[in-house]
Amino acid sequence: MTAKRVLVAGGAGYIGSHAAKALALAGRIPIVFDDLSAGHEHAVKWGPLVRGDIRDADALRAAIREHRPDAVMHFAARIEVGEGEREPVDFYENNVGGALNLMKVMLEEGVNTLVFSSTCAIYGDPERLPLTEDLPKRPVSVYGRTKAMVEQMLEDVSRARGLNFAALRYFNAAGADMDGEIGEEHDPESHLIPNAIKASVGRGGPMKLFGLDYPTKDGSCVRDYIHVSDLADAHIRAADRLMEAPGNVQVNLGTGDGYTVLEVLKAVETATGRPVPYDLAPRRPGDAVALLADPSKARALLGWTPQHGIDDIVSSAWNFHRRVWGMGNEPALQRAK
Ligand code: UDP
């Protein structure tokens, strides 16, 4: 049995909108539940939009009763790490309170399958690389703690009440839909690739490069960038697996390949055909030196293999931004090979 009708909480946001598109392309019906506080109405194109707040039990219940989903994907959360340090109440309320509310309403309404957006930030500063799922959860940010808490709640609720869940621990979500229809539109934007693209086209001046004194091959931090459409695909696989084999799945979603910040800037320069001006800035508090996934568990349990590497990630992000900015065809559109 596949998850035919899926409630996509946060489906107007970056990863959620790509999941909604992937669901529609797979012949499913995505029902987007989003309060549009961070998401965009124009990113909801593949199914109905129910405007509502994840913390509002009545709104969730009404959406579930009207649309009768087989499963829920939950993307609705606050994500900016620095903001979490400044606004912890907001983060706990939205991320932990919102997820708890969702679980409660799902159980009341008899919806037992939940795919949850988790993060490699739950591991904190890892003691070894690549990261495997058995490493201890020692988050070093409020954001990471909210996600680790929700995973703990899911385990407890699952044990007691039979909720089937997948916690998908994303590494660095990046890139945009390969057709250019949707992409990353955070405001303010804190992520490396969109910031590098902006800098390379002269929008907002040089970007800041946070630290060149790390113990890595070129002094900049190493991350595992994973294409947003590969993440979307993993969600569909996870929902289907839970419906076929009820239980729990906790997996890392990354490629297993690491790139330094300077290597990413090179890839951006290749895609845009222009240099990426940057100012060297001090290390950003909370940044780990290197994060790298061991994706073998996701491959084994979900049959999931990422289809896009760093070149697709950067070129798809560039294609999306240049369309949004109304830039012409100069330099030539770089499509993935
Ligand atoms: N980074 C940077 N300048 C920026 C944004 C990010 O130098 O404007 C660096 C950041 O310090 C980290 C890497 O790029 O080493 C990835 O950061 P991002 O915020 O994209 O993702 P994170 O790893 O924090 O989830």
Side-chain angles (χ1 to χ4, degrees):
M1 188 172 53
T2 55
K4 180 95 179 100
R5 305 172 64 81
V6 179
L7 190 80
V8 186
Y14 174 41
I15 306 173
S17 61
H18 288 77
K21 177 170 181 175
L23 281 164
L25 289 180
R28 321 299 173 82
I29 300 166
I31 301 115
V32 170
F33 183 91
D34 200 301
D35 66 357
L36 302 180
S37 61
H40 306 280
E41 195 163 2
H42 60 248
V44 183
K45 305 177 195 232
W46 295 279
L49 167 65
V50 179
R51 271 187 87 149
D53 187 319
I54 193 77
R55 296 164 296 179
D56 181 347
D58 290 340
L60 272 173
R61 193 175 297 111
I64 288 177
R65 286 187 180 171
E66 184 181 348
H67 294 283
R68 302 273 27 132
D70 306 303
V72 175
M73 295 181 182
H74 176 33
F75 300 91
R78 304 294 303 272
I79 59 155
E80 215 268 290
V81 175
E83 215 170 59
E85 303 305 308
R86 295 190 296 276
E87 304 287 350
V89 173
D90 202 41
F91 269 56
Y92 286 111
E93 189 180 38
N94 275 280
N95 296 8
V96 181
L100 183 62
N101 197 42
L102 176 61
M103 280 180 230
K104 192 171 137 240
V105 175
M106 285 177 65
L107 290 174
E108 284 167 6
E109 297 301 317
V111 183
N112 294 318
T113 301
L114 176 61
V115 183
F116 172 64
S117 296
S118 190
T119 169
C120 63
I122 65 170
Y123 299 112
D125 276 319
E127 57 204 36
R128 62 177 156 76
L129 295 173
L131 279 142
T132 48
E133 288 81 356
D134 56 324
L135 280 166
K137 293 185 200 131
R138 291 190 198 123
V140 295
S141 64
V142 169
Y143 168 70
R145 279 192 285 279
T146 65
K147 294 287 180 173
M149 283 178 191
V150 174
E151 284 209 24
Q152 185 63 64
M153 285 171 7
L154 285 166
E155 286 173 27
D156 292 339
V157 172
S158 174
R159 196 180 327 102
R161 300 289 305 276
L163 181 76
N164 306 309
F165 78 87
L168 304 184
R169 299 174 181 165
Y170 314 156
F171 281 63
N172 283 61
D177 170 42
M178 297 302 285
D179 304 324
E181 286 189 279
I182 42 177
E184 189 169 9
E185 295 181 89
H186 295 127
D187 185 20
E189 185 55 77
S190 65
H191 293 112
L192 175 63
I193 293 172
N195 281 350
I197 289 173
K198 274 186 201 152
S200 91
V201 296
R203 289 186 162 246
M207 61 168 276
K208 285 189 176 142
L209 196 158
F210 299 124
L212 268 180
D213 56 349
Y214 285 97
T216 61
K217 62 180 172 188
D218 61 22
S220 62
C221 292
V222 173
R223 293 289 181 274
D224 183 339
Y225 296 88
I226 178 74
H227 195 281
V228 62
S229 298
D230 282 323
L231 292 179
D233 173 50
H235 285 72
I236 298 181
R237 289 169 182 272
D240 287 351
R241 183 193 154 96
L242 292 177
M243 299 210 46
E244 279 151 26
N248 305 333
V249 175
Q250 287 158 299
V251 290
N252 291 336
L253 297 182
T255 62
D257 293 325
Y259 292 89
T260 66
V261 173
L262 289 177
E263 286 171 336
V264 171
L265 298 194
K266 273 266 162 298
V268 170
E269 290 180 348
T270 303
T272 65
R274 306 161 198 217
V276 176
Y278 66 81
D279 292 330
L280 185 56
R283 291 181 178 196
R284 192 171 65 175
D287 270 344
V289 178
L291 294 171
L292 199 60
D294 179 341
S296 46
K297 190 175 171 196
R299 193 179 310 124
L301 290 185
L302 305 180
W304 177 79
T305 311
Q307 302 297 308
H308 306 287
I310 194 72
D311 292 338
D312 277 4
I313 287 172
V314 169
S315 62
S316 61
W318 166 232
N319 288 340
F320 174 72
H321 285 295
R322 67 211 299 259
R323 184 179 68 69
V324 169
W325 295 331
M327 293 176 67
N329 287 326
E330 281 302 317
L333 192 102
Q334 305 253 341
R335 189 58 206 239
K337 290 173 205 79

Short mmCIF file of all heavy atoms in Angstrom, two decimals, residues 106-162:
data_model
loop_
_atom_site.label_atom_id
_atom_site.label_comp_id
_atom_site.label_asym_id
_atom_site.label_seq_id
_atom_site.Cartn_x
_atom_site.Cartn_y
_atom_site.Cartn_z
N MET A 106 -3.09 13.56 15.00
CA MET A 106 -3.00 12.37 14.14
C MET A 106 -3.55 11.14 14.87
O MET A 106 -4.33 10.37 14.30
CB MET A 106 -1.54 12.13 13.74
CG MET A 106 -1.03 13.09 12.67
SD MET A 106 0.73 12.81 12.31
CE MET A 106 0.67 11.16 11.59
N LEU A 107 -3.13 10.94 16.11
CA LEU A 107 -3.59 9.76 16.86
C LEU A 107 -5.10 9.82 17.06
O LEU A 107 -5.78 8.81 16.87
CB LEU A 107 -2.89 9.69 18.22
CG LEU A 107 -1.40 9.35 18.18
CD1 LEU A 107 -0.79 9.44 19.57
CD2 LEU A 107 -1.15 7.96 17.59
N GLU A 108 -5.62 11.00 17.38
CA GLU A 108 -7.06 11.14 17.59
C GLU A 108 -7.84 10.80 16.31
O GLU A 108 -8.93 10.26 16.36
CB GLU A 108 -7.40 12.58 18.00
CG GLU A 108 -7.05 12.90 19.43
CD GLU A 108 -7.10 14.41 19.73
OE1 GLU A 108 -7.52 15.21 18.85
OE2 GLU A 108 -6.72 14.78 20.84
N GLU A 109 -7.24 11.16 15.18
CA GLU A 109 -7.95 10.98 13.90
C GLU A 109 -7.58 9.69 13.19
O GLU A 109 -7.99 9.45 12.06
CB GLU A 109 -7.67 12.18 12.98
CG GLU A 109 -8.19 13.51 13.53
CD GLU A 109 -9.71 13.49 13.77
OE1 GLU A 109 -10.43 12.97 12.91
OE2 GLU A 109 -10.15 13.98 14.83
N GLY A 110 -6.74 8.87 13.82
CA GLY A 110 -6.41 7.57 13.25
C GLY A 110 -5.45 7.62 12.07
O GLY A 110 -5.45 6.73 11.21
N VAL A 111 -4.61 8.66 12.00
CA VAL A 111 -3.56 8.71 10.97
C VAL A 111 -2.26 8.31 11.66
O VAL A 111 -1.82 8.98 12.60
CB VAL A 111 -3.43 10.12 10.35
CG1 VAL A 111 -2.38 10.13 9.24
CG2 VAL A 111 -4.77 10.61 9.83
N ASN A 112 -1.66 7.22 11.22
CA ASN A 112 -0.57 6.61 12.02
C ASN A 112 0.80 6.64 11.37
O ASN A 112 1.71 5.96 11.83
CB ASN A 112 -0.93 5.14 12.32
CG ASN A 112 -2.13 5.05 13.22
OD1 ASN A 112 -2.25 5.82 14.17
ND2 ASN A 112 -3.05 4.15 12.89
N THR A 113 0.94 7.38 10.29
CA THR A 113 2.22 7.38 9.58
C THR A 113 2.73 8.81 9.46
O THR A 113 2.06 9.66 8.88
CB THR A 113 2.03 6.77 8.18
OG1 THR A 113 1.55 5.44 8.34
CG2 THR A 113 3.33 6.74 7.40
N LEU A 114 3.92 9.04 9.99
CA LEU A 114 4.48 10.40 10.02
C LEU A 114 5.94 10.38 9.57
O LEU A 114 6.76 9.63 10.11
CB LEU A 114 4.40 10.95 11.46
CG LEU A 114 5.03 12.32 11.70
CD1 LEU A 114 4.37 13.40 10.87
CD2 LEU A 114 4.92 12.68 13.19
N VAL A 115 6.24 11.22 8.59
CA VAL A 115 7.64 11.40 8.16
C VAL A 115 8.08 12.77 8.66
O VAL A 115 7.47 13.79 8.31
CB VAL A 115 7.77 11.30 6.63
CG1 VAL A 115 9.24 11.43 6.23
CG2 VAL A 115 7.19 9.99 6.12
N PHE A 116 9.13 12.77 9.47
CA PHE A 116 9.54 13.98 10.18
C PHE A 116 10.88 14.48 9.67
O PHE A 116 11.83 13.73 9.50
CB PHE A 116 9.63 13.65 11.68
CG PHE A 116 10.23 14.75 12.50
CD1 PHE A 116 9.59 15.99 12.60
CD2 PHE A 116 11.43 14.58 13.16
CE1 PHE A 116 10.16 17.02 13.35
CE2 PHE A 116 12.00 15.59 13.91
CZ PHE A 116 11.37 16.82 14.00
N SER A 117 10.95 15.82 9.46
CA SER A 117 12.20 16.46 9.04
C SER A 117 13.13 16.60 10.23
O SER A 117 12.94 17.48 11.06
CB SER A 117 11.92 17.91 8.60
OG SER A 117 11.12 17.96 7.49
N SER A 118 14.14 15.75 10.29
CA SER A 118 15.13 15.92 11.35
C SER A 118 16.43 16.43 10.71
O SER A 118 16.42 16.88 9.55
CB SER A 118 15.33 14.61 12.11
OG SER A 118 16.11 14.85 13.26
N THR A 119 17.49 16.39 11.43
CA THR A 119 18.70 17.09 10.98
C THR A 119 19.95 16.46 11.56
O THR A 119 19.90 15.89 12.67
CB THR A 119 18.63 18.56 11.43
OG1 THR A 119 19.91 19.17 11.23
CG2 THR A 119 18.32 18.69 12.92
N CYS A 120 21.05 16.62 10.86
CA CYS A 120 22.32 16.15 11.40
C CYS A 120 22.75 17.02 12.59
O CYS A 120 23.67 16.63 13.33
CB CYS A 120 23.41 16.14 10.33
SG CYS A 120 23.80 17.76 9.66
N ALA A 121 22.07 18.16 12.80
CA ALA A 121 22.40 19.01 13.95
C ALA A 121 22.09 18.31 15.27
O ALA A 121 22.55 18.77 16.32
CB ALA A 121 21.64 20.34 13.87
N ILE A 122 21.33 17.21 15.24
CA ILE A 122 21.08 16.50 16.51
C ILE A 122 22.35 15.84 17.03
O ILE A 122 22.43 15.52 18.21
CB ILE A 122 19.97 15.43 16.39
CG1 ILE A 122 20.38 14.32 15.45
CG2 ILE A 122 18.64 16.06 15.99
CD1 ILE A 122 19.43 13.14 15.50
N TYR A 123 23.35 15.63 16.17
CA TYR A 123 24.59 14.98 16.62
C TYR A 123 25.57 15.96 17.26
O TYR A 123 26.51 15.54 17.92
CB TYR A 123 25.31 14.30 15.45
CG TYR A 123 24.51 13.21 14.76
CD1 TYR A 123 24.05 13.39 13.45
CD2 TYR A 123 24.23 12.01 15.39
CE1 TYR A 123 23.34 12.39 12.79
CE2 TYR A 123 23.51 11.01 14.74
CZ TYR A 123 23.07 11.21 13.44
OH TYR A 123 22.37 10.23 12.79
N GLY A 124 25.38 17.26 17.02
CA GLY A 124 26.34 18.23 17.56
C GLY A 124 27.69 18.10 16.88
O GLY A 124 27.77 17.91 15.66
N ASP A 125 28.76 18.23 17.67
CA ASP A 125 30.11 18.07 17.13
C ASP A 125 30.48 16.60 17.19
O ASP A 125 30.80 16.09 18.26
CB ASP A 125 31.11 18.88 17.97
CG ASP A 125 31.15 20.32 17.52
OD1 ASP A 125 31.11 20.57 16.30
OD2 ASP A 125 31.21 21.19 18.41
N PRO A 126 30.45 15.91 16.08
CA PRO A 126 30.60 14.46 16.13
C PRO A 126 32.01 14.02 16.51
O PRO A 126 32.99 14.69 16.19
CB PRO A 126 30.28 14.03 14.70
CG PRO A 126 30.54 15.22 13.87
CD PRO A 126 30.28 16.42 14.72
N GLU A 127 32.08 12.89 17.18
CA GLU A 127 33.40 12.38 17.59
C GLU A 127 34.10 11.64 16.46
O GLU A 127 35.30 11.43 16.50
CB GLU A 127 33.28 11.49 18.84
CG GLU A 127 32.35 10.31 18.66
CD GLU A 127 31.78 9.81 19.99
OE1 GLU A 127 31.52 10.65 20.88
OE2 GLU A 127 31.62 8.59 20.12
N ARG A 128 33.34 11.22 15.45
CA ARG A 128 33.98 10.61 14.29
C ARG A 128 33.13 10.83 13.04
O ARG A 128 31.93 11.08 13.14
CB ARG A 128 34.25 9.12 14.53
CG ARG A 128 33.02 8.31 14.74
CD ARG A 128 33.35 6.83 14.90
NE ARG A 128 32.31 6.13 15.63
CZ ARG A 128 31.14 5.78 15.12
NH1 ARG A 128 30.85 6.06 13.86
NH2 ARG A 128 30.24 5.16 15.85
N LEU A 129 33.80 10.71 11.89
CA LEU A 129 33.14 10.87 10.60
C LEU A 129 33.44 9.65 9.73
O LEU A 129 34.49 9.05 9.91
CB LEU A 129 33.67 12.12 9.88
CG LEU A 129 33.36 13.47 10.54
CD1 LEU A 129 34.09 14.60 9.82
CD2 LEU A 129 31.86 13.74 10.53
N PRO A 130 32.59 9.29 8.78
CA PRO A 130 31.27 9.88 8.56
C PRO A 130 30.31 9.54 9.69
O PRO A 130 30.52 8.60 10.44
CB PRO A 130 30.84 9.24 7.24
CG PRO A 130 31.53 7.92 7.20
CD PRO A 130 32.85 8.14 7.88
N LEU A 131 29.24 10.32 9.76
CA LEU A 131 28.27 10.15 10.84
C LEU A 131 27.35 8.97 10.58
O LEU A 131 26.72 8.88 9.52
CB LEU A 131 27.42 11.42 10.92
CG LEU A 131 28.05 12.57 11.67
CD1 LEU A 131 27.73 13.88 11.01
CD2 LEU A 131 27.54 12.56 13.10
N THR A 132 27.28 8.10 11.56
CA THR A 132 26.32 6.99 11.49
C THR A 132 25.22 7.27 12.51
O THR A 132 25.41 8.03 13.46
CB THR A 132 27.01 5.65 11.79
OG1 THR A 132 27.80 5.81 12.97
CG2 THR A 132 27.90 5.23 10.63
N GLU A 133 24.10 6.60 12.32
CA GLU A 133 22.90 6.93 13.11
C GLU A 133 23.05 6.55 14.58
O GLU A 133 22.29 7.04 15.42
CB GLU A 133 21.67 6.23 12.52
CG GLU A 133 21.19 6.81 11.20
CD GLU A 133 21.98 6.32 10.00
OE1 GLU A 133 22.97 5.57 10.17
OE2 GLU A 133 21.60 6.70 8.87
N ASP A 134 24.01 5.68 14.89
CA ASP A 134 24.15 5.24 16.29
C ASP A 134 24.97 6.22 17.14
O ASP A 134 25.08 6.05 18.35
CB ASP A 134 24.81 3.86 16.32
CG ASP A 134 26.15 3.86 15.60
OD1 ASP A 134 26.26 4.57 14.57
OD2 ASP A 134 27.09 3.20 16.05
N LEU A 135 25.53 7.25 16.52
CA LEU A 135 26.31 8.21 17.31
C LEU A 135 25.41 8.93 18.31
O LEU A 135 24.22 9.11 18.05
CB LEU A 135 26.97 9.24 16.38
CG LEU A 135 28.25 8.74 15.70
CD1 LEU A 135 28.65 9.66 14.56
CD2 LEU A 135 29.39 8.62 16.70
N PRO A 136 25.96 9.32 19.45
CA PRO A 136 25.11 9.97 20.47
C PRO A 136 24.54 11.29 19.99
O PRO A 136 25.17 12.00 19.21
CB PRO A 136 26.07 10.19 21.65
CG PRO A 136 27.44 10.03 21.10
CD PRO A 136 27.35 9.18 19.89
N LYS A 137 23.33 11.59 20.47
CA LYS A 137 22.70 12.87 20.13
C LYS A 137 23.14 13.89 21.16
O LYS A 137 22.71 13.84 22.31
CB LYS A 137 21.18 12.72 20.16
CG LYS A 137 20.64 11.82 19.07
CD LYS A 137 19.11 11.83 19.10
CE LYS A 137 18.56 10.61 18.41
NZ LYS A 137 17.55 9.89 19.14
N ARG A 138 23.99 14.80 20.71
CA ARG A 138 24.47 15.87 21.61
C ARG A 138 24.40 17.21 20.90
O ARG A 138 25.43 17.82 20.58
CB ARG A 138 25.93 15.60 22.00
CG ARG A 138 26.11 14.41 22.89
CD ARG A 138 27.54 14.38 23.41
NE ARG A 138 27.88 13.07 23.91
CZ ARG A 138 28.91 12.33 23.48
NH1 ARG A 138 29.73 12.78 22.55
NH2 ARG A 138 29.13 11.14 24.00
N PRO A 139 23.18 17.67 20.60
CA PRO A 139 23.05 18.93 19.84
C PRO A 139 23.67 20.10 20.58
O PRO A 139 23.63 20.15 21.82
CB PRO A 139 21.54 19.10 19.71
CG PRO A 139 20.93 18.21 20.75
CD PRO A 139 21.89 17.09 20.98
N VAL A 140 24.26 21.02 19.82
CA VAL A 140 24.91 22.19 20.43
C VAL A 140 24.14 23.48 20.15
O VAL A 140 24.64 24.55 20.43
CB VAL A 140 26.38 22.32 19.94
CG1 VAL A 140 27.22 21.15 20.42
CG2 VAL A 140 26.45 22.44 18.43
N SER A 141 22.93 23.37 19.61
CA SER A 141 22.12 24.57 19.36
C SER A 141 20.69 24.31 19.82
O SER A 141 20.27 23.14 19.93
CB SER A 141 22.12 24.91 17.86
OG SER A 141 21.49 23.87 17.15
N VAL A 142 19.96 25.39 20.04
CA VAL A 142 18.54 25.27 20.38
C VAL A 142 17.83 24.54 19.24
O VAL A 142 17.03 23.62 19.47
CB VAL A 142 17.92 26.66 20.61
CG1 VAL A 142 16.40 26.59 20.69
CG2 VAL A 142 18.50 27.30 21.86
N TYR A 143 18.15 24.95 18.01
CA TYR A 143 17.52 24.30 16.85
C TYR A 143 17.73 22.78 16.90
O TYR A 143 16.78 22.00 16.79
CB TYR A 143 18.12 24.87 15.56
CG TYR A 143 17.75 24.09 14.34
CD1 TYR A 143 16.45 24.09 13.86
CD2 TYR A 143 18.70 23.31 13.67
CE1 TYR A 143 16.09 23.34 12.76
CE2 TYR A 143 18.35 22.57 12.55
CZ TYR A 143 17.05 22.58 12.10
OH TYR A 143 16.70 21.83 11.01
N GLY A 144 18.98 22.36 17.08
CA GLY A 144 19.29 20.93 17.13
C GLY A 144 18.57 20.24 18.29
O GLY A 144 18.09 19.11 18.15
N ARG A 145 18.49 20.95 19.41
CA ARG A 145 17.79 20.35 20.56
C ARG A 145 16.31 20.16 20.29
O ARG A 145 15.72 19.16 20.68
CB ARG A 145 18.02 21.19 21.83
CG ARG A 145 19.37 20.89 22.48
CD ARG A 145 19.48 21.50 23.87
NE ARG A 145 19.68 22.94 23.82
CZ ARG A 145 20.87 23.55 23.60
NH1 ARG A 145 21.95 22.82 23.42
NH2 ARG A 145 20.96 24.86 23.57
N THR A 146 15.68 21.13 19.61
CA THR A 146 14.25 20.96 19.33
C THR A 146 14.02 19.71 18.47
O THR A 146 13.07 18.96 18.70
CB THR A 146 13.62 22.18 18.60
OG1 THR A 146 14.18 22.34 17.29
CG2 THR A 146 13.78 23.46 19.41
N LYS A 147 14.91 19.48 17.53
CA LYS A 147 14.73 18.32 16.64
C LYS A 147 15.01 17.02 17.38
O LYS A 147 14.33 16.01 17.19
CB LYS A 147 15.64 18.46 15.42
CG LYS A 147 15.27 19.62 14.51
CD LYS A 147 14.01 19.33 13.71
CE LYS A 147 13.63 20.46 12.80
NZ LYS A 147 12.52 20.14 11.91
N ALA A 148 16.04 17.02 18.25
CA ALA A 148 16.35 15.82 19.04
C ALA A 148 15.18 15.51 19.98
O ALA A 148 14.82 14.34 20.18
CB ALA A 148 17.64 16.02 19.82
N MET A 149 14.58 16.56 20.55
CA MET A 149 13.44 16.34 21.45
C MET A 149 12.26 15.72 20.71
O MET A 149 11.59 14.83 21.23
CB MET A 149 13.00 17.67 22.07
CG MET A 149 13.91 18.12 23.18
SD MET A 149 13.33 19.73 23.79
CE MET A 149 14.73 20.15 24.81
N VAL A 150 12.01 16.21 19.51
CA VAL A 150 10.89 15.64 18.76
C VAL A 150 11.18 14.17 18.42
O VAL A 150 10.29 13.32 18.52
CB VAL A 150 10.59 16.46 17.49
CG1 VAL A 150 9.51 15.77 16.65
CG2 VAL A 150 10.15 17.87 17.86
N GLU A 151 12.41 13.85 18.08
CA GLU A 151 12.73 12.43 17.82
C GLU A 151 12.44 11.60 19.07
O GLU A 151 11.92 10.48 18.99
CB GLU A 151 14.18 12.26 17.37
CG GLU A 151 14.41 12.69 15.93
CD GLU A 151 15.57 11.92 15.28
OE1 GLU A 151 15.89 10.80 15.73
OE2 GLU A 151 16.15 12.45 14.31
N GLN A 152 12.81 12.13 20.23
CA GLN A 152 12.56 11.41 21.48
C GLN A 152 11.06 11.23 21.70
O GLN A 152 10.60 10.14 22.06
CB GLN A 152 13.18 12.18 22.65
CG GLN A 152 13.09 11.46 23.98
CD GLN A 152 13.86 10.16 23.96
OE1 GLN A 152 15.08 10.16 23.82
NE2 GLN A 152 13.16 9.04 24.08
N MET A 153 10.30 12.29 21.45
CA MET A 153 8.85 12.20 21.62
C MET A 153 8.27 11.17 20.66
O MET A 153 7.39 10.39 21.03
CB MET A 153 8.21 13.57 21.33
CG MET A 153 8.43 14.55 22.46
SD MET A 153 7.94 16.28 22.17
CE MET A 153 7.12 16.33 20.65
N LEU A 154 8.77 11.16 19.44
CA LEU A 154 8.27 10.20 18.46
C LEU A 154 8.52 8.77 18.93
O LEU A 154 7.65 7.90 18.81
CB LEU A 154 8.96 10.42 17.10
CG LEU A 154 8.48 11.64 16.32
CD1 LEU A 154 9.44 11.96 15.18
CD2 LEU A 154 7.07 11.39 15.75
N GLU A 155 9.70 8.53 19.49
CA GLU A 155 10.00 7.17 19.98
C GLU A 155 9.03 6.78 21.09
O GLU A 155 8.51 5.66 21.11
CB GLU A 155 11.44 7.12 20.50
CG GLU A 155 12.48 7.11 19.40
CD GLU A 155 13.91 7.23 19.95
OE1 GLU A 155 14.16 6.82 21.09
OE2 GLU A 155 14.77 7.75 19.21
N ASP A 156 8.78 7.71 22.01
CA ASP A 156 7.90 7.40 23.15
C ASP A 156 6.47 7.18 22.68
O ASP A 156 5.80 6.23 23.10
CB ASP A 156 7.94 8.55 24.17
CG ASP A 156 9.30 8.65 24.87
OD1 ASP A 156 10.04 7.65 24.87
OD2 ASP A 156 9.62 9.73 25.40
N VAL A 157 5.99 8.07 21.81
CA VAL A 157 4.61 7.96 21.34
C VAL A 157 4.45 6.70 20.48
O VAL A 157 3.45 5.98 20.56
CB VAL A 157 4.20 9.23 20.55
CG1 VAL A 157 2.85 9.06 19.90
CG2 VAL A 157 4.21 10.44 21.48
N SER A 158 5.47 6.41 19.71
CA SER A 158 5.44 5.22 18.87
C SER A 158 5.34 3.95 19.73
O SER A 158 4.53 3.07 19.45
CB SER A 158 6.70 5.20 18.02
OG SER A 158 6.78 4.02 17.31
N ARG A 159 6.16 3.91 20.76
CA ARG A 159 6.18 2.73 21.63
C ARG A 159 4.82 2.54 22.30
O ARG A 159 4.26 1.44 22.33
CB ARG A 159 7.28 2.89 22.69
CG ARG A 159 7.64 1.60 23.37
CD ARG A 159 8.75 1.76 24.42
NE ARG A 159 9.75 2.77 24.13
CZ ARG A 159 9.81 3.98 24.68
NH1 ARG A 159 8.92 4.36 25.57
NH2 ARG A 159 10.76 4.83 24.35
N ALA A 160 4.25 3.63 22.79
CA ALA A 160 3.01 3.52 23.56
C ALA A 160 1.77 3.42 22.68
O ALA A 160 0.82 2.73 23.03
CB ALA A 160 2.88 4.73 24.49
N ARG A 161 1.80 4.11 21.54
CA ARG A 161 0.56 4.25 20.77
C ARG A 161 0.64 3.73 19.34
O ARG A 161 -0.30 3.88 18.57
CB ARG A 161 0.14 5.73 20.74
CG ARG A 161 -0.12 6.34 22.12
CD ARG A 161 -1.40 5.80 22.75
NE ARG A 161 -2.54 5.97 21.89
CZ ARG A 161 -3.28 7.09 21.81
NH1 ARG A 161 -2.99 8.10 22.58
NH2 ARG A 161 -4.31 7.16 21.00
N GLY A 162 1.78 3.14 18.99
CA GLY A 162 1.86 2.52 17.67
C GLY A 162 1.96 3.49 16.51
O GLY A 162 1.63 3.15 15.37
#
